[in-house]
Amino acid sequence: MCYEVVCRTVAVMTAAADTTARTSADTAADTATRASAPAVPRTRRTLDWRLRFGALSLIWGFSFLLIKVGTQGYAPFQVTLGRLVFGTAVLAAAMLVRRERLPRGARTWAHLTVAAFLLNALPFSLFAYSELTIPSTLAGICNATSPLWGMALSLVALSEDRPTRVRVAGLGLGFLGVLTVLGAWQGFQGLDARGTAMALLASLSYPIGWIYVRRTLAGTGASALSMTGAQLGVAALQLAVVTPLVAGVPDHVAPLPLLAIAALGALGTGLALLIQYGLVAEVGPTTAQMVTYFIPVIATGAGVAFLGEPLSWSTPVGAVIVLAGAALTQARGKR
């Protein structure tokens, strides 16, 4: 978230014909630069991939709770900056261990700057601001709309993505689920329109960034780790410039929110990306991207259990409809 991240999009970006998925949140989104990386050979892992899949689902699902806790002590831009700094530190350490080099070429770095804004700086900040006024459960469900936005945009921007009846039906079903979550039949009563719009805009930013990466950074020859580490670093620099101007410098240290921000960056952004890389390499992007459908479930459970956020019947029902629609938008026709 994301997510993150971005979200979820690591697996989708790896498959050239697929659409989006933040993460995440992690999920990601920032992970969209896998489109630029060469194929990674499948390797044998010491820890079963199902355990890593479950860990990744939990990490990204709890990211929205961590954002909420972080904003209780720090301004949204400060939360995002901390997230990016800790996430970049983890990837930088991994690059040192693996002796990875940063991407080269001014053109590549120019495109990475745009990608960093669309996939990291913008959506991470929007989610942080949105959770000032909406529950983390709603933010997690809004994050799950990224595949829906991605399918709609890909039909316009990517000529190779041809619509099918199943995928169009999934798109309509998914947005029906969004209206269910938001309580459209009640006139959206009790809903903070601004915060919800920010969360949905953050989810829209991920597929826009993915399409941009797919068109500009594919075939650079740099590794996925190198590209993503550079992208996160650029996003951290972007926030380092903006944050002091908008939010200033914290006038006190809030221990619990600071711990939440550190976990959000180190685990929800840095470590989550490393786990996702391994999953994509071992089980392929189709299986790895299924983590997308667990994130809103875990985010909802975490928000209700640990933050005491209210839960009406329309939230889980709408979330199921959103996920069903998102799954249909990923369906591929017979080749």
Side-chain angles (χ1 to χ4, degrees):
M1 342 342 43
C2 284
Y3 306 105
E4 132 319 233
V5 158
V6 206
C7 267
R8 312 135 302 291
T9 51
V10 162
V12 184
M13 294 315 223
T14 307
D18 287 343
T19 52
T20 67
R22 235 308 288 345
T23 169
S24 234
D26 334 212
T27 313
D30 48 328
T31 61
T33 49
R34 272 201 69 80
S36 63
V40 180
R42 294 174 183 267
T43 56
R44 190 175 184 83
R45 304 286 176 174
T46 56
L47 186 62
D48 187 84
W49 73 267
R50 296 171 186 83
L51 296 178
R52 286 179 280 125
F53 184 97
L56 183 61
S57 300
L58 287 172
I59 290 172
W60 272 337
F62 270 84
S63 292
F64 297 95
L65 179 148
L66 295 175
I67 293 173
K68 191 74 170 181
V69 175
T71 57
Q72 292 174 356
Y74 297 94
F77 271 132
Q78 294 168 349
V79 172
T80 303
L81 175 59
R83 175 183 187 176
L84 289 168
V85 168
F86 283 107
T88 301
V90 171
L91 292 188
M95 290 176 63
L96 288 174
V97 171
R98 301 181 187 182
R99 298 181 180 180
E100 294 273 2
R101 294 184 176 181
L102 289 171
R104 298 181 179 180
R107 183 182 182 87
T108 297
W109 281 96
H111 290 313
L112 279 174
T113 300
V114 178
F117 175 75
L118 292 174
L119 292 170
N120 304 116
L122 178 61
F124 289 3
S125 299
L126 286 172
F127 271 124
Y129 268 102
S130 73
E131 291 200 36
L132 291 176
T133 55
I134 67 172
S136 64
T137 55
L138 179 56
I141 294 173
C142 288
N143 181 73
T145 63
S146 280
L148 304 178
W149 296 117
M151 187 262 181
L153 290 174
S154 67
L155 296 179
V156 177
L158 301 175
S159 58
E160 63 269 30
D161 271 332
R162 299 299 182 184
T164 64
R165 291 182 179 179
V166 172
R167 298 180 71 191
V168 172
L171 184 63
L173 182 65
F175 284 113
L176 176 63
V178 173
L179 294 177
T180 303
V181 171
L182 301 182
W185 67 93
Q186 298 175 335
F188 306 104
Q189 293 181 1
L191 181 71
D192 183 79
R194 183 178 179 183
T196 304
M198 285 184 177
L200 291 173
L201 183 59
S203 302
L204 173 61
S205 180
Y206 289 129
I208 293 175
W210 163 68
I211 292 174
Y212 180 84
V213 166
R214 182 167 170 176
R215 287 187 175 276
T216 61
L217 288 172
T220 61
S223 71
L225 177 58
S226 175
M227 294 290 286
T228 306
Q231 182 179 303
L232 278 183
V234 171
L237 290 176
Q238 291 172 344
L239 263 295
V241 173
V242 174
T243 301
L245 300 176
V246 177
V249 179
D251 54 5
H252 68 285
V253 176
L256 183 59
L258 181 58
L259 182 61
I261 294 170
L264 178 65
L267 301 179
T269 304
L271 179 62
L273 292 178
L274 296 177
I275 295 175
Q276 183 73 337
Y277 294 154
L279 287 175
V280 171
E282 184 173 353
V283 301
T286 301
T287 300
Q289 74 174 344
M290 293 300 293
V291 72
T292 303
Y293 307 114
F294 291 87
I295 293 172
V297 177
I298 296 173
T300 300
V304 173
F306 294 98
L307 298 179
E309 295 178 344
L311 183 67
S312 63
W313 69 267
S314 60
T315 300
V317 170
V320 170
I321 298 174
V322 168
L323 294 177
L328 290 176
T329 64
Q330 304 303 305
R332 310 301 300 180
K334 294 183 178 180
R335 297 183 183 278

